[in-house]
Amino acid sequence: MDRKILKFIDKYVKEINESNAAIFLGAGFSVDSGCINWKELLEDIAEDLGLDIEKESDLISLAQYHKNTLGNRSQINQLILNSYGGKDISENHRILARLPISTFWTTNYDSLIEDSLKEIKKIPDVKYTNAHLSQTEPKRDSIIYKMHGDRNHSNDTIILKEDYEEYHVKYAPFITALNGDLITKTFLFIGFSFSDPNLNYILSRMKVDYGNDTQKTHYALMKKVAKEQNEDEGDFIYRETKQKLLIDDLRRYNIQVLEIDSYKTITNILRNIEKKINRSNVFISGSAVDYGDFKEEKSVNFIENLSKQLIRKGYNIVSGFGLGVGSYVIKGALEEIYLKSKTINDNRLLLRPFPQGIENEKSRVELWKKYRKDMISRVGISIFIFGNKIGENTEIIEASGVLEEFKIAHDNNNIIIPIGCTGGASKTIWNIINNDFESYFKNSSNKLKQLFQKFNHNYEKEDELINDIINFIDITVKK
């Protein structure tokens, strides 16, 4: 990944963390899910009109010609309804849904972005009519502005030339809303060709009204023109030149284009954004019916003060209420959050207590596994402490749930920090990593290795252990 893209990722993550980020999705973003582009949508219509779709570039006029000929748009409406439903959610959609972004704009008719949000129990507030703009979905997590409509109301979708001609009058509130977001948020355009008349109109009006100096810088991912098989060299050079001119022109609107070699790069970029976002989120895994050599008072102080220090250092905590651990994590975190802000900030502490009272063991195991995967999908760092429980014969045994969380954290490429000296499953995890340290911490420094070794030795003072944990996190996050 080149330096320009890495620099963008750092900037965009900062905007996300400050709640200033927005996403604009074009048709290209849904291709991996099986959605067709406009040329494919209108191919049969072009043939009915006696035209060759490969020779047509003004597809808006093509759709209009069809309505003019038939006197209505019913065939187009049916094509939209048939072509953009029942599609699979792509990995890119899932990553976007997991990111803490509350504003999405799209010209797409499909429901993939809202479906991906619902899949992880987020609440989308979908808006594709003027009336929707004045309504608010209760407890919404994200707003999705579908400025060209929705497939389920295909008669109102924007596709004809006359739709575009009337848009600035009929859908003026959408233009106003997009104007406001473009002024206040940093947009990332994905899968967009910048040939849409509505967006170009809005961008041009903003340039006239506000000038370049006061506008936000926005970003767009754009695949480089590649020479197609058997393509004439002159045609390739023509397309390449045209793309360069478009990229230069977008600078007038403070849109920086990030050129990519393939669409797979989009997934890599989104994964890197998610990884950096999650590196601020720490999952503390553990349970304890017995604190062993740590003793109860020392253990309680350790857990509470570790949570306080993580919050103080700017990290957010995710907790699942592990027995003998979770309540002290919560207490320490809440004390520090309230000390600083005098209010409870839900973004700093995410609580996911496991559902209790499920008698069917198979159902309980499956549900708890989903809970664990959900919690750990939100973090980039997992700390393991203690990890014991009472077995069937009342003896103290390793906590299988903590070991399962270790496996999930490893599958999610978390930074894994097992505090072996606390015993239980955490010591087992420490041994597993210690025996194959380089595969868990590639190209690690001697200092990191030394800190990891200390995690398996007894500490006289819990503050010293906490400082070593924080130093270990700082080193790995900055790598």
Side-chain angles (χ1 to χ4, degrees), residues 25-138:
L25 301 177
F29 194 76
S30 295
V31 169
D32 282 350
S33 296
C35 290
I36 59 177
N37 59 35
W38 270 28
K39 274 199 171 184
E40 293 169 314
L41 179 71
L42 300 175
E43 185 174 3
D44 289 343
I45 282 174
E47 188 175 336
D48 291 343
L49 293 169
L51 300 174
D52 182 353
I53 193 68
E54 294 303 324
K55 295 180 180 179
E56 296 300 319
S57 58
D58 187 358
L59 301 179
I60 295 167
S61 292
L62 179 64
Q64 186 67 50
Y65 299 155
H66 176 77
K67 184 193 173 183
N68 295 345
T69 303
L70 266 66
N72 62 64
R73 55 177 286 171
S74 60
Q75 188 176 338
I76 289 177
N77 294 343
Q78 192 62 47
L79 281 172
I80 291 172
L81 185 63
N82 294 345
S83 302
Y84 296 101
K87 304 302 179 183
D88 295 328
I89 300 171
S90 71
E91 176 62 14
N92 289 341
H93 283 96
R94 288 191 169 96
I95 296 172
L96 284 185
R98 291 195 297 264
L99 294 176
I101 293 177
S102 60
T103 304
F104 294 89
W105 282 85
T106 182
T107 52
N108 298 344
Y109 309 131
D110 63 70
S111 61
L112 289 166
I113 188 60
E114 53 262 48
D115 291 344
S116 61
L117 288 161
K118 290 175 184 176
E119 186 180 62
I120 58 171
K121 309 305 180 187
K122 285 188 176 182
I123 300 173
D125 189 356
V126 184
K127 302 183 183 298
Y128 51 86
T129 70
N130 290 338
H132 289 151
L133 296 176
S134 62
Q135 301 165 0
T136 302
E137 185 72 29

Side-chain angles (χ1 to χ4, degrees), residues 433-441 444 448-449 452 472:
I433 295 177
N434 187 57
N435 290 333
D436 194 14
F437 189 79
E438 281 299 324
S439 70
Y440 286 87
F441 299 96
S444 56
L448 198 72
K449 294 176 183 176
F452 187 83
F472 191 94

Side-chain angles (χ1 to χ4, degrees), residues 36 39 53 57 104 138 182 190-191 202 207 224 245 292 311 334 384 400 413 429 464:
I36 59 177
K39 274 199 171 184
I53 193 68
S57 58
F104 294 89
L182 285 165
I190 316 177
I202 292 167
K207 184 178 185 301
K224 293 177 186 176
L245 292 170
I311 294 293
L334 288 180
F384 294 87
S400 55
N413 296 314
I429 296 166
E464 183 184 346

